[in-house]
Amino acid sequence: MNIFQRQSLVWGGIGAIAFTFIANSVKADTQVQDHYKNVIHKIPSNVEVCYDRQVSGDKTGDTIMGAILGGAIGNNVTKNMPDGGTAGAIIGGLLGNMNSSASGGTRTVCQTETRYTEQSKTMYSHSTISFVYNGKQYSLKFKK
């Protein structure tokens, strides 16, 4: 046992003797009250949440892809003609737009979210002892 443990033991013993002396000398006015507190415990759970989202039906991606492919084909087919790639890009963009399957409306989108269920528990917090000693009111807080 080191010096700090011995000192704690000595002071704890002195405190217990003083407490016993005071409590025994003022029994009629002594009150001990336990105090409790509510503690909320959160329990996580994963749930899938779905909602409807508006989609625009944007055909821009298909138009650009058609223009790129049309331009590449136009450059290869009309090697000797000026602006063959430009004509191919315009025609490819028109075809890409016309053949696009993009459509507007609503689409259901789902994702996993963490939700918490709260569980309330009442737990012991501390106790207080109140007493009168030599005409003066005292109150001490302690844990059992």
Side-chain angles (χ1 to χ4, degrees), residues 19 31-36 123-129 140-144:
F19 181 77
Q31 295 178 346
V32 176
Q33 183 177 4
D34 294 334
H35 299 274
Y36 297 89
M123 298 178 64
Y124 171 78
S125 173
H126 65 282
S127 298
T128 54
I129 183 167
L140 300 173
K141 191 176 175 180
F142 65 97
K143 289 197 180 237
K144 288 183 181 180

Side-chain angles (χ1 to χ4, degrees), residues 15-143:
I17 292 169
F19 181 77
T20 304
F21 173 75
I22 291 170
N24 286 335
S25 66
V26 290
K27 282 185 180 177
D29 296 331
T30 303
Q31 295 178 346
V32 176
Q33 183 177 4
D34 294 334
H35 299 274
Y36 297 89
K37 61 183 175 182
N38 286 330
V39 177
I40 303 222
H41 181 68
K42 289 187 172 187
I43 303 165
S45 63
N46 291 326
V47 294
E48 187 174 17
V49 179
C50 299
Y51 57 93
D52 291 334
R53 180 169 48 174
Q54 294 290 334
V55 290
S56 65
D58 187 9
K59 298 181 179 188
T60 306
D62 294 328
T63 303
I64 291 172
M65 184 59 73
I68 291 170
L69 291 174
I73 293 170
N75 273 336
N76 286 327
V77 172
T78 60
K79 289 182 182 178
N80 298 332
M81 294 178 64
D83 295 329
T86 304
I90 291 171
I91 294 169
L94 288 172
L95 289 173
N97 188 293
M98 289 188 323
N99 293 324
S100 175
S101 61
S103 62
T106 58
R107 186 174 76 185
T108 301
V109 178
C110 298
Q111 63 188 27
T112 302
E113 293 182 2
T114 302
R115 300 274 173 99
Y116 294 92
T117 304
E118 292 184 353
Q119 191 176 51
S120 180
K121 293 181 180 180
T122 302
M123 298 178 64
Y124 171 78
S125 173
H126 65 282
S127 298
T128 54
I129 183 167
S130 300
F131 57 92
V132 176
Y133 182 70
N134 287 338
K136 189 173 178 183
Q137 177 77 31
Y138 293 93
S139 181
L140 300 173
K141 191 176 175 180
F142 65 97
K143 289 197 180 237

